[in-house]
Structures are given as C-alpha cells and as structure tokens.
Amino acid sequence: MELFVDSADVAEIRELAETGLVAGVTTNPTLIARTGRPLFEVLEEICRLVPGPVSAEVTATDADAMVAEGRRLAAVAANIVVKLPLTWEGLKACRRLETEGIRTNVTLCFSPAQALLAARAGASYVSPFVGRLDDVGEEGMGLVADILTIFRNYRDSLRTRVLAASIRHVQHVVEAARLGADIATVPPAVLRQLVRHPLTDLGLERFLADWRKTGQRIL
Ligand code: E4P
C-alpha cells in the first residue's frame, strides 16, 4: 500500500517528503483554507516537492464548470490529479476529464454503490472516507473492504485505485493495508506516529548504552 500525505502545509510536506516515503499528496478546500495562502502558489510548491500524484479539488458544482476548473488545476503541473465530489455532476466531469487524459480522484465516497459509479466513470482514484463514517457510528473500514471486494470481481476491466481517506489513526492505516487498499492518505501527525513504538525507543537506548561501554566506534 502506498502512503500519501493528506495536507496542504508545504513545510510539513517538505519534511515528510525528505524521508522518500511519500508517494503522493491529497489536498481539499478545507486544507487549503487552513494554510491561509493562495491555492495555486501552494499547489505549485507541493508539486515541486512531491513528484507523485497531487490531488487538487474543484469547487464548482456543475459538470461544465468542474471541467473548466479541472483543466485549470491540471495546468499547474503534470502530477496534478483533479479531485471531484461524488455527485452526478462530478461523475460527468470525471468521465470528460479522464477522456482528455486528466487524471481524477473522486472524493467524498461513502458507499460501495458510489464507488462503483466512480469506477464506471473512469476515475483514476476513488476516496472512501473512513473516519467520517466512524464519526457517525458506521464502520468506515467496512466500506473500504466492500469496495475492494467489488473491484476485485472486475479487476480486468476496472483500473480505479482505492485510496483510503479520512484516516484518523495508526490502526486505520494498518487495517487499510491488511485489506489491500492501494493507497492510504494520511495526515502528517498520523504518518509520524506510524514509526513510533516504545519498545523501539527502549531497545535503542539499551543497545547504545551497551555500545558506549565497549569504548569502540564504527567511524
Ligand atoms: C481526502 O482526500 C481528504 O482530504 C481527507 O482524507 C479528509 O479527511 P477528514 O475527514 O479528516 O477531513
């Protein structure tokens, strides 16, 4: 499973991208608003930092305007993926942009039926929102499992990748990988948390203490 960063904070993305572990980035209007910066400036900087797919979301609600916005967003860099909401208009725009060779990420997916439609519209990615389903008492990861099961039935004809989104904690990431999601887009704090384990810290502390006692150096 690939790991994307779910953020529009350029400093955070830069730091995480330096690990070489970040395969892509997802943004949304809320994340852009949080930066307080101009959209295109932020997108250009992110696309320079991360060569993988960078999702940028349209804000229009009818297909014609979504397509126009999508073309404008895609002009920022070759690695832009246009994010479209899972509505009839979003699906129409998805089909049109994909036909033009512009990759799309159909977002705000909350049901397997919606995911099937996104795949039939030719989306490059579909984003089931795990945490937001959990928030309303549903099992968000169950949606990821259902989508993967359905897509596997048609693996020869469907090329849409499943991008687990609205990830809130480490266990979400682990479970998405266990199920076989293609990608998880992870907030920076959760991404940093993935590496942490108290036994790693304790083990390292002990190894280094014992090594110091030998008085030796490697270099
Ligand atoms: C995905 O592309 C979205 O930007 C994101 O995962 C939404 O997460 P949230 O539900 O934590 O806002």
Side-chain angles (χ1 to χ4, degrees), residues 6 26-28 31 83 105 107 127 129 131-132 163 165-168 185:
D6 193 31
T26 51
T27 68
N28 64 40
L31 293 171
K83 225 172 170 189
N105 171 2
T107 188
S127 292
F129 272 38
R132 292 194 196 185
L163 198 171
S166 188
I167 294 288
R168 300 281 167 77
T185 187

Side-chain angles (χ1 to χ4, degrees), residues 64-135:
D64 286 341
M66 285 179 184
V67 168
E69 287 188 0
R71 287 180 188 140
R72 174 67 188 90
L73 291 167
V76 168
N79 52 333
I80 286 281
V81 171
V82 175
K83 225 172 170 189
L84 300 159
L86 219 158
T87 60
W88 284 122
E89 294 301 303
L91 293 171
K92 285 195 278 186
C94 169
R95 168 73 76 181
R96 285 167 56 186
L97 289 168
E98 289 281 350
T99 304
E100 289 179 19
I102 294 174
R103 288 179 299 166
T104 62
N105 171 2
V106 178
T107 188
L108 291 168
C109 174
F110 293 98
S111 80
Q114 288 182 319
L116 183 60
L117 290 175
R120 297 311 316 167
S124 296
Y125 304 90
V126 64
S127 292
F129 272 38
V130 176
R132 292 194 196 185
L133 278 172
D134 289 355
D135 289 346

Side-chain angles (χ1 to χ4, degrees), residues 1-6 26 105-107 109 125-131 140-141 143-145 147-148 161-168 172-177 179-187:
M1 184 178 76
E2 291 181 355
L3 295 172
F4 286 8
V5 186
D6 193 31
T26 51
N105 171 2
V106 178
T107 188
C109 174
Y125 304 90
V126 64
S127 292
F129 272 38
V130 176
M141 208 48 79
L143 172 60
V144 174
I147 295 171
L148 288 167
R161 302 184 79 203
V162 179
L163 198 171
S166 188
I167 294 288
R168 300 281 167 77
H172 274 159
V173 179
V174 173
E175 190 59 17
L179 291 169
D182 297 293
I183 305 146
T185 187
V186 185

Side-chain angles (χ1 to χ4, degrees), residues 5-26:
V5 186
D6 193 31
S7 175
D9 182 326
V10 173
E12 289 261 41
I13 294 167
R14 178 180 295 109
E15 202 179 310
L16 291 165
E18 277 167 7
T19 64
L21 299 173
V22 173
V25 176
T26 51

